[in-house]
Every structure is written in structure tokens, then in C-alpha cells.
Amino acid sequence: MKPLLLLTTTFCLFLHTPGRAAVLLPYFNPVKASISQQLIVLSNTVPVDKKAISALKSTLATIDKPGVSSLPNDLKLLSTVSAALDKTSRAAALQPNVDGAVDQYLSLLYGMARQSSNSLAAAYASPSKIAAQKSLDALFATLDSANATTSAVAAAKLLNKGISQWTATDKLVTRAGSVPPPAAGVTAKITGAESWDFKSTQAVAVDRSPGNVLVNSTQAILKSPFGQRTITFSMYGLKEGANTLTVHNNDAFVTEIFGNQTGAGFESQSGTIQANYNPTAKTIAGSFTFVLFNQDDHTKLITATGSFSATIK
């Protein structure tokens, strides 16, 4: 089954709509039309296939059965109808329209899953986000299986499973989205030419222009030779939600300044930043990996790997 188009979900999944039939979306209309057409064919074919006529009439009645409409009901009906039609003598003639209905619902669920994925990407790191991602991965695996099969009956069963998975996933995504940003600060592990752990005693973020944020953090060294370490980095072109940024020269700096007049400065050579940016709440949080060179000896490299969170001033 190959999705024909990607639809934006503009209705609430559980906004049940009373109506003449229990079908929410019009994707069954071509199926109904083809069933009606095949009933005419069967009625004018000798000998008359009474069993097939009875089965098709029963299927039409099932589709038109009065009830409360919802997407889960549509997909349950799709599974029932596709299996019933596959057993009739007119299965081959009905197959294209059944496939079309499956494709339409598959496209819809793919769109819903992608919307959930986009929402989850904007959530802060948390156990809730991990659980939601695991559930989302399982949902995509189900949809991919439905997309890969050539059997409308098998695909419809998978879509029926998929809507249940989406319902559970959506709850987990909502929960992950309600997790507040972590406490302000920067933590990192430095390896390479130097090796030490960094945990800021002070961290601030400054909005230098829309979408461009500077994070500056300091760690006081409270034992001999005393002094301080800093990790500073800039982010450019931030968009609301999740961002993956490439680090270039002059984007990040790591410094050490000691009371005995020794120290070192390191400048970024490469790296990446994963940042969750909320310009309305003025928060930014995420993780980073920087490869930096010693400004006095470019052959000395360090790697800084860590996480950050700050309120933007």
C-alpha cells in the first residue's frame, strides 16, 4: 500500500459526530460506489450469484449502519469491510477502490504520526520524552508494515492497530510536552589534551538578536591554584522548537584562568548543538559536542560534551 497524499488533521480524533452513518471520512464512498456497480453486474449475470449479492448487500448495510462517527470506528470498519469483500467472487473488481481507501487512511495516519513527531521534537529531554519516542517508533513501524504489504486486508488490520498506538502515543507526547526545562546551568566533560569535568556555578543566555543566542557559563575553581573555567557558545538561526546546529570556528570557547597566571584558551573547530528554543517562554536547553583547538598550539585538541539550560535575558 502506497500513501497517495499527506493530509493535515484538522479534526479532533475523539470529537464524535452523530450522523446517519458511523463513517467519519468520505474514503468509503468509492468503495460503496463500486459495490453498487458490482451488484448491478451480478444481477444481470446468469447464473445469478446469490451468495455474492447477499455478501455485497450486507457489506453496504455495514458501511451505512447508523451510529457515532470517529476515526477509530472508520478503521475498525475498514478492517471488517476489506476482509468481507476479499471473500466474495467480485474481490478482484472491488480491489482498486478498497486499496484506495486503505491508502487514504494510511496517509492520514502517517500525517498524524509526523505531527506527533514534530511536537515531541520540541519537548525537553526527560524520561517522558524517551517513553513517547519509543511509542512513536512502534507506531511508525506499524505504518511502515502497512505501507509495505500488498494485502489490503493485512494493511487494514495494521491501520486498526495503528490508531490505537497513535492514541497512546499522543498521550505520551502531551505528557512529554508538559515537562518544564531543566534547571539553569551547563555541565560538560572535557577530554583530549586536557581532562576535567565542568559544572557551572553561573550560567546566562543572552538574546543578541531574534534567533541568535549566546550562552555564557562559569565554573569557580575553589582549590589551588584557584581561578575559573568558562564555556561560552553562540547559536545562530534558531527556530522555535527543536534545532540541530553546526558549530564553526568562533562559535564556542573554553577557557581556564588560574590565580598563578597560568591557563589556556580553546576555540571551536567543529561540533553540533541540539537546542530546544522557546522564544515565548525565553528558555533554551539542549546538548552539545565541541571539538576545540588550543589558541596557542593548534595541535592540542579537546572535546567538550555536555548539556545546557538557561533563561534568555
Side-chain angles (χ1 to χ4, degrees):
M1 294 299 138
K2 299 299 181 183
L4 302 177
L5 67 154
L6 180 62
L7 301 178
T8 300
T9 307
T10 58
F11 57 90
C12 176
L13 178 63
F14 298 109
L15 181 59
H16 298 292
T17 307
R20 292 183 178 178
V23 178
L24 179 66
L25 297 174
Y27 303 153
F28 275 98
N29 290 346
V31 178
K32 290 173 58 179
S34 64
I35 292 174
S36 297
Q37 182 180 17
Q38 291 307 309
L39 282 170
I40 294 173
V41 172
L42 287 168
S43 298
N44 290 282
T45 301
V46 179
V48 175
D49 189 341
K50 294 181 179 180
K51 182 178 179 180
I53 290 175
S54 177
L56 294 185
K57 286 182 176 179
S58 177
T59 302
L60 272 181
T62 299
I63 296 172
D64 289 332
K65 183 178 179 180
V68 178
S69 58
S70 71
L71 183 54
N73 286 349
D74 275 24
L75 293 171
K76 186 181 297 183
L77 183 62
L78 179 66
S79 184
T80 299
V81 167
S82 61
L85 294 179
D86 190 58
K87 296 176 182 177
T88 71
S89 61
R90 307 306 298 171
L94 294 164
Q95 193 65 43
N97 288 300
V98 175
D99 286 346
V102 169
D103 286 340
Q104 296 277 17
Y105 283 110
L106 177 58
S107 292
L108 180 62
L109 287 186
Y110 262 127
M112 292 163 62
R114 288 173 182 135
Q115 287 180 14
S116 294
S117 180
N118 291 339
S119 296
L120 185 60
Y124 296 109
S126 70
S128 294
K129 184 172 184 177
I130 294 172
Q133 186 62 58
K134 183 177 180 180
S135 182
L136 186 61
D137 290 343
L139 169 58
F140 272 114
T142 296
L143 299 182
D144 289 344
S145 294
N147 190 42
T149 183
T150 58
S151 167
V153 176
K157 288 182 179 179
L158 288 166
L159 295 184
N160 199 23
K161 175 183 177 182
I163 190 60
S164 297
Q165 289 178 308
W166 181 87
T167 301
T169 297
D170 188 57
K171 291 179 180 178
L172 292 172
V173 170
T174 299
R175 187 181 305 166
S178 67
V179 174
V186 176
T187 60
K189 186 170 185 63
I190 308 301
T191 57
E194 296 196 16
S195 179
W196 38 271
D197 293 327
F198 181 92
K199 185 174 183 180
S200 64
T201 48
Q202 181 179 350
V204 297
V206 179
D207 192 353
R208 299 193 294 185
S209 62
N212 298 328
V213 175
L214 169 71
V215 173
N216 188 20
S217 61
T218 303
Q219 176 192 42
I221 301 173
L222 303 178
K223 60 182 181 180
S224 182
F226 301 98
Q228 70 175 26
R229 294 182 173 116
T230 67
I231 294 181
T232 303
F233 53 93
S234 299
M235 292 168 280
Y236 303 98
L238 287 163
K239 297 179 180 179
E240 183 172 6
N243 295 263
T244 299
L245 307 175
T246 299
V247 176
H248 304 96
N249 290 109
N250 297 309
D251 286 349
F253 297 89
V254 173
T255 66
E256 294 180 294
I257 302 174
F258 299 109
N260 61 6
Q261 306 304 310
T262 62
F266 295 85
E267 179 183 334
S268 60
Q269 174 177 286
S270 61
T272 58
I273 300 174
Q274 302 291 333
N276 185 314
Y277 177 51
N278 188 330
T280 303
K282 291 190 175 299
T283 60
I284 190 162
S287 60
F288 58 81
T289 298
F290 306 140
V291 176
L292 310 100
F293 58 85
N294 187 298
Q295 291 175 315
D296 294 326
D297 183 350
H298 291 192
T299 65
K300 294 182 178 180
L301 301 178
I302 63 171
T303 299
T305 304
S307 60
F308 65 96
S309 179
T311 299
I312 302 170
K313 304 297 185 181

